[in-house]
Amino acid sequence: MEDCLFCKIIKGEVPSNKVYEDDLVYVFKDIAPAAPVHYLAVPKKHISSALEIDSHNSSYIAHIYEVIAKIAKDEGFGKDGFRVVNNCGELAGQTVFHIHFHILAGRELEWPAG
Ligand code: 5GP
Ligand code: ZN
C-alpha cells in the first residue's frame, strides 16, 4: 500500500535491520527498542490492524506466530520467556496502521501492560 511505512520497509524503500524474512513475513528491529530484544513481525500483505483479520488473511497471522516461535528458539530467549504485543487502534496506541506484532524479550516484563 502506498504511503504505508511498513510496506516501504518490506520493499526496502525505507532501511531496516532485518532479523528474518520469508515469502509471507518480515521481521526487523524496532527503531526505539523498549527491551533488549524488540522486534516487529509484519505480514508482507498489507493488513491495517487486528480488526481486519478474516478468513482470507488469517493464514498470515498463523504463520507469523510460527516464525516467532522459531526465532525465540533460535535466538535462545524462548526459554526465559518473552512477550508478543499487538496494539490495535488509537486507544491501544497503534501508530503504524500495518498490523505488527512486537516481540519483547531480555528483561522482566511487567503486567498488566499499560
Ligand atoms: P505501535 O505503536 O503502532 O504498536 O508500534 C509501532 C512501532 O514501530 C513503534 O515501536 C516504533 O518504535 C516503531 N517504528 C516506527 N517507525 C519505525 C521505523 O521507521 N523503523 C523501525 N524499525 N521501527 C519503527
Ligand atoms: Zn502496509
Side-chain angles (χ1 to χ4, degrees):
M1 184 189 240
E2 271 178 49
D3 281 339
C4 168
L5 173 62
F6 288 172
C7 282
K8 287 180 182 164
I9 284 178
I10 291 162
K11 282 189 262 178
E13 293 170 8
V14 169
S16 65
N17 288 311
K18 180 169 87 174
V19 172
Y20 174 92
E21 178 176 21
D22 65 24
D23 289 348
L24 301 175
V25 59
Y26 189 75
V27 183
F28 57 104
K29 293 186 180 179
D30 196 292
I31 204 167
V37 173
H38 188 173
Y39 302 153
L40 299 172
V42 300
K44 286 193 170 176
K45 178 186 172 71
H46 182 91
I47 301 167
S48 55
S49 80
L51 258 189
E52 306 305 321
I53 298 171
D54 60 24
S55 60
H56 301 288
N57 60 29
S58 58
S59 56
Y60 281 87
I61 309 304
H63 183 66
I64 281 176
Y65 272 88
E66 288 178 34
V67 166
I68 290 171
K70 177 180 163 39
I71 292 170
K73 285 179 207 148
D74 287 354
E75 297 204 4
F77 61 78
K79 63 180 180 339
D80 299 322
F82 65 99
R83 185 171 292 164
V84 181
V85 175
N86 167 250
N87 295 320
C88 179
E90 237 175 274
L91 281 184
Q94 184 177 4
T95 58
V96 180
F97 281 79
H98 180 130
I99 193 170
H100 49 280
F101 296 85
H102 298 257
I103 304 163
L104 298 154
R107 67 168 170 85
E108 194 164 335
L109 298 161
E110 288 168 23
W111 190 259

